[in-house]
């Protein structure tokens, strides 16, 4: 898609490109050193290390177009390894609902990427129906701390996380959305046990977290007791907006096209195959439509509004598109996509293709399953009212 860029926007794009080029990773150099240096230099640019944070908290205060340019430019560059849980998910909640002391205590370390966070929401009996969560937090008689007992599941990076933001139940006498309390606590402490879950693609990223008599000081509670659901709902919309990955999909689709053009098919290549071309064209059209939706979402975000129900459209369509690209990549790589590990077999690009495809099955589950996003869109965008609800 071409959008009309002003002279200032073109200058900004040139500045972003220059920054990304000057600070690109050089093979063979110390990765961790480069990573921390990259974030420091991005911070010196005036909040480029936290592009989505509001200006009041050190963000760059970019216009929607500048955000769009950043997304586009960073999608093609190699960025330092980063986790979304602190920067993209907890930070907005701390800014909106945390007290000043909590903001001062947690935000600088989140920004400096010094502390890894994980998200303790889902439980064996509470996923889509998150408000059914049962992990219990009981306030001590002197009101100084909570004692937490329960099980969290699918907790991404719990095995390398320093802290967890966790939904707990402090009251089960009323509606299930009430009586939920938002707590923060360190992972490396008595009573926290992490067990790995190895997923379909062979990776270890998710875990089960068992919590047994974990003591959490009351000053680690965000906002009021029993109001955690309200805070968590806001956070989910931030999470969804971040999961769509539109700019990365645009780059991935271009890469796929050039890879398919190296695969021989009859007298030409796979890109000459009408069936394959049709699938690529369909993807391109859908991707363009989602890109426009993302621009609308950026526009409302830059005016200070929290992401609205359009974040569900982005999550739903963006993740479906990512899966379709993975599927076509496997189709282009054929049997060689099954190759796993360091050495490619056959088409070089196909290596780990099947592992990537299998891992991508989760995209339409985490951050709210697709069926649930459809429900949100039906109710909040299309205004569908269901009887019996
Ligand atoms: C790789 C991965 C990483 C994850 N990381 C985290 C994490 O870091 N922290 C965390 O807290 N959670 C995490 N999750 C959990 C994730 O949020 C849940 O898996 C998700 O919310 C779905 O819940 P569930 O697995 O319990 O499935 P269920 O809710 O049991 O859903 C099962 C099926 O029923 C469908 N369904 C459910 N309700 C409805 C409805 N009302 N209408 C129509 N269909 C419905 C669903 O769409 C799905 O197809 C992760 C999950 C995965 C797979």
């Amino acid at each position: 898609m071409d959008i009309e860029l002003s002279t200032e926007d073109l200058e900004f794009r040139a500045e972003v490109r220059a920054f990304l080029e000057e600070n690109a990773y050089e093979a063979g150099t110390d990765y961790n050193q480069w990573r921390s240096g990259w974030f420091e230099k991005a911070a010196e640019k005036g909040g480029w290390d936290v592009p989505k944070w509001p200006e009041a908290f050190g963000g760059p205060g970019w216009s929607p177009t500048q955000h769009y340019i950043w997304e586009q430019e960073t999608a093609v560059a190699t960025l330092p390894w980063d986790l979304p849980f602190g920067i993209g998910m907890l930070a907005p909640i701390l800014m909106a609902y945390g007290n000043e002391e909590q903001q001062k205590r947690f935000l600088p370390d989140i920004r400096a990427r010094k502390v890894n966070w994980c998200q303790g929401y889902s439980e064996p009996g509470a996923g889509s129906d998150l408000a059914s969560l049962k992990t219990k937090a009981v306030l001590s008689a002197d009101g100084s701390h909570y004692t937490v007992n329960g099980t969290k599941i699918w907790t991404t990076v719990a095995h390398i996380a320093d802290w967890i933001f966790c939904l707990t139940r402090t009251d089960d006498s009323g509606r299930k959305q009430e009586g939920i309390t938002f707590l923060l606590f360190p992972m490396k402490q008595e009573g926290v046990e992490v067990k790995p879950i190895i997923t379909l693609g062979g990776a270890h990223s998710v875990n089960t977290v068992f919590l047994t008599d974990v003591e959490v000081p009351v000053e680690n509670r965000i906002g009021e007791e029993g109001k955690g659901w309200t805070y968590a709902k806001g956070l989910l919309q931030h999470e969804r907006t971040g999961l769509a990955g539109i700019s990365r999909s645009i780059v991935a689709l271009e890469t796929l096209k050039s890879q398919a053009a190296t695969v021989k098919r009859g007298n030409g290549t796979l890109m000459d195959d009408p069936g394959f071309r049709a699938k690529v064209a369909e993807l391109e059209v859908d991707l363009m439509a989602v890109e426009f939706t993302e621009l609308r979402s950026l526009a409302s975000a830059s005016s200070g509004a929290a992401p609205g129900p359009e974040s569900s459209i982005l999550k739903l369509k963006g993740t479906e598109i990512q899966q379709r690209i993975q599927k076509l990549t496997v189709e282009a790589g054929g049997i060689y996509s099954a190759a796993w590990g360091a050495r490619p077999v056959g088409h070089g690009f196909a290596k780990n293709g099947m592992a990537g495809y299998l891992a991508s099955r989760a995209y339409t589950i985490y951050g709210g399953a697709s069926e649930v996003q459809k429900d949100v869109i039906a109710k909040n965008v299309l205004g569908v009212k269901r009887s019996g609800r």
Side-chain angles (χ1 to χ4, degrees), residues 19-88:
F19 175 82
L20 294 172
E21 264 171 43
E22 274 162 29
N23 296 292
Y25 176 67
E26 279 170 41
T29 56
D30 186 302
Y31 183 86
N32 288 332
Q33 212 176 344
W34 168 73
R35 181 176 182 266
S36 52
W38 193 98
F39 285 122
E40 273 165 29
K41 284 184 195 133
E44 282 161 19
K45 294 291 287 179
W48 288 22
D49 56 329
V50 283
K52 291 192 177 148
W53 285 21
E55 257 179 306
F57 288 92
W62 287 338
S63 68
T65 314
Q66 285 176 312
H67 277 287
Y68 174 73
I69 290 170
W70 177 258
E71 289 293 319
Q72 279 198 320
E73 296 302 318
T74 51
V76 282
T78 306
L79 290 188
W81 172 84
D82 205 14
L83 285 170
F85 301 102
I87 287 281

Side-chain angles (χ1 to χ4, degrees), residues 85 118-130 152-157 199 205-206 239 359 362 364-372 375 386 389:
F85 301 102
C118 64
Q119 178 193 34
Y121 279 21
S122 307
E123 296 182 7
S128 303
D129 185 16
L130 188 58
K152 294 290 171 182
I153 196 165
W154 311 119
T155 322
T156 305
V157 301
T199 41
S205 64
V206 291
E239 179 180 358
T364 45
I365 299 173
Y366 60 62
S370 287
E371 290 77 8
V372 174
D375 231 16
R386 263 201 224 164
R389 285 208 146 195

